[in-house]
């Protein structure tokens, strides 16, 4: 089974109490999710080992199409995309303690073709 990761960007708003020099709130804006791109404008797609792959060929192109966020009402984006997991099921990051030694040898930003 082929698995691919498609990278997206989601804004985060951070409220700061300037008098107390503290952060009082953090709010994610899933309504503003967009595809992430490299400096040349290419979409960022990775294989199951997090090696970057060209997004112009299969199965990366297929993964990109499946992952494209969709909302119930395109004109009124509210909450997360309806074709993704519920936002309460989203993970906040990868558990780096599970990373194996092979990942340390991989340059994740280098584009590699198969």
């Amino acid at each position: 089974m082929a698995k691919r990761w498609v990278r997206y960007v989601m804004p985060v708003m951070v409220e700061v109490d300037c008098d107390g020099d503290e952060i009082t709130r953090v709010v994610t804006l899933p309504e503003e999710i967009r595809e992430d791109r490299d400096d040349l404008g290419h979409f960022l797609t990775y294989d199951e080992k997090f090696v970057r792959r060209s997004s112009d060929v299969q199965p990366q192109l297929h993964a990109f199409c499946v992952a494209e966020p969709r909302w119930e009402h395109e004109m009124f984006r509210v909450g997360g995309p309806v074709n993704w997991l519920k936002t309460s099921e989203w993970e906040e990051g990868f558990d780096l303690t599970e990373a194996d030694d092979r990942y340390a040898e991989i340059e994740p930003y280098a584009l590699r073709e198969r």
Side-chain angles (χ1 to χ4, degrees), residues 5 7 38-40 42-47 49-55 60 103-114:
W5 290 92
R7 186 170 164 148
D38 65 15
D39 292 342
L40 298 175
H42 300 119
F43 298 115
L44 300 177
T45 308
Y46 301 85
D47 67 14
K49 295 181 181 177
F50 294 99
V51 176
R52 180 144 175 235
R53 301 292 178 192
S54 170
S55 59
Q60 291 79 245
Y103 183 72
E105 299 173 10
I106 296 173
E107 172 54 55
Y109 297 103
L111 180 59
R112 297 185 184 162
E113 296 299 325
R114 283 195 170 166

Side-chain angles (χ1 to χ4, degrees), residues 2-110:
K3 292 189 177 185
R4 294 296 183 263
W5 290 92
V6 181
R7 186 170 164 148
Y8 286 83
V9 175
M10 179 176 58
V12 175
M13 298 290 292
V14 179
E15 181 182 58
V16 177
D17 175 353
C18 295
D19 294 329
D21 292 336
E22 65 180 343
I23 296 171
T24 54
R25 235 174 126 187
V26 177
V27 179
T28 59
L29 302 172
E31 305 86 14
E32 296 182 30
I33 291 171
R34 65 185 182 281
E35 302 88 357
D36 197 6
R37 299 172 184 249
D38 65 15
D39 292 342
L40 298 175
H42 300 119
F43 298 115
L44 300 177
T45 308
Y46 301 85
D47 67 14
E48 61 279 352
K49 295 181 181 177
F50 294 99
V51 176
R52 180 144 175 235
R53 301 292 178 192
S54 170
S55 59
D56 295 334
V57 295
Q58 297 296 348
Q60 291 79 245
L61 185 59
H62 177 77
F64 185 79
C65 291
V66 172
E68 181 181 5
R70 295 175 181 86
W71 282 265
E72 187 173 353
H73 304 286
E74 187 61 32
M75 298 215 21
F76 303 105
R77 293 182 174 186
V78 177
V82 295
N83 61 319
W84 288 12
L85 298 174
K86 295 178 183 176
T87 55
S88 62
E89 298 175 30
W90 292 5
E91 300 174 48
E92 296 221 0
F94 292 105
D95 183 359
L96 298 179
T97 60
E98 295 178 8
D100 60 23
D101 293 334
R102 289 177 301 165
Y103 183 72
E105 299 173 10
I106 296 173
E107 172 54 55
Y109 297 103

